[in-house]
Amino acid sequence: MTQLLPLLQAAAPNAGGGMSMTLIMILAIIVIFYFFMIRPQQKRQKQMEEFKSSLQKGDKVTTIGGIHGKICDVKERTFLIEIANDVRIEVDKAAIAVDEAQLKNKKSEEKAQ
């Protein structure tokens, strides 16, 4: 037991250095996780909300269920979509699918105006 005491005392300063290194590594992982996972997702979510709020009568859309149609009427929380001649359905705004091609087309149209 007396022989272990000097070894434990010598190891104690190293334990403090190891703890700070572990803390630095954990913080680095959190920062990396934020910049590569959370921040891009928030940016994508914001783009989707802007896209959905900019939709207006006459725009072609696709629902998350795969139904293609043209917006006939915009209400507070829903769209009235014409999917065939005189066939209209009302869908929630959250049910509109946003793909990258639609976002690019919408942005290029806004820049042209």
Side-chain angles (χ1 to χ4, degrees):
M1 182 76 169
T2 57
Q3 293 174 346
L4 290 176
L5 189 57
L7 292 174
L8 292 175
Q9 290 173 349
N14 292 338
M19 182 66 145
S20 64
M21 190 60 149
T22 303
L23 185 60
I24 290 171
M25 292 301 287
I26 290 172
L27 289 175
I29 290 171
I30 290 171
V31 169
I32 290 170
F33 185 75
Y34 174 77
F35 281 108
F36 286 106
M37 300 292 282
I38 297 170
R39 192 164 178 240
Q41 179 62 29
Q42 289 174 340
K43 185 178 178 184
R44 223 177 352 261
Q45 186 72 25
K46 185 178 177 183
Q47 285 178 333
M48 289 173 54
E49 291 300 320
E50 288 174 358
F51 174 75
K52 288 178 184 180
S53 66
S54 70
L55 289 173
Q56 50 190 306
K57 186 176 180 178
D59 289 344
K60 293 182 179 181
V61 294
T62 304
T63 66
I64 56 175
I67 299 172
H68 297 259
K70 186 171 69 172
I71 296 176
C72 294
D73 189 25
V74 178
K75 297 181 182 176
E76 185 178 334
R77 298 182 65 182
T78 61
F79 291 118
L80 189 63
I81 299 175
E82 184 173 17
I83 56 175
N85 290 336
D86 296 327
V87 180
R88 296 180 178 164
I89 58 173
E90 188 171 5
V91 296
D92 194 43
K93 286 186 177 183
I96 300 299
V98 178
D99 63 355
E100 296 299 319
Q102 285 179 319
L103 283 175
K104 288 178 184 177
N105 289 339
K106 195 71 168 172
K107 286 180 183 179
S108 63
E109 289 174 5
E110 290 173 357
K111 288 181 182 178
Q113 294 176 353

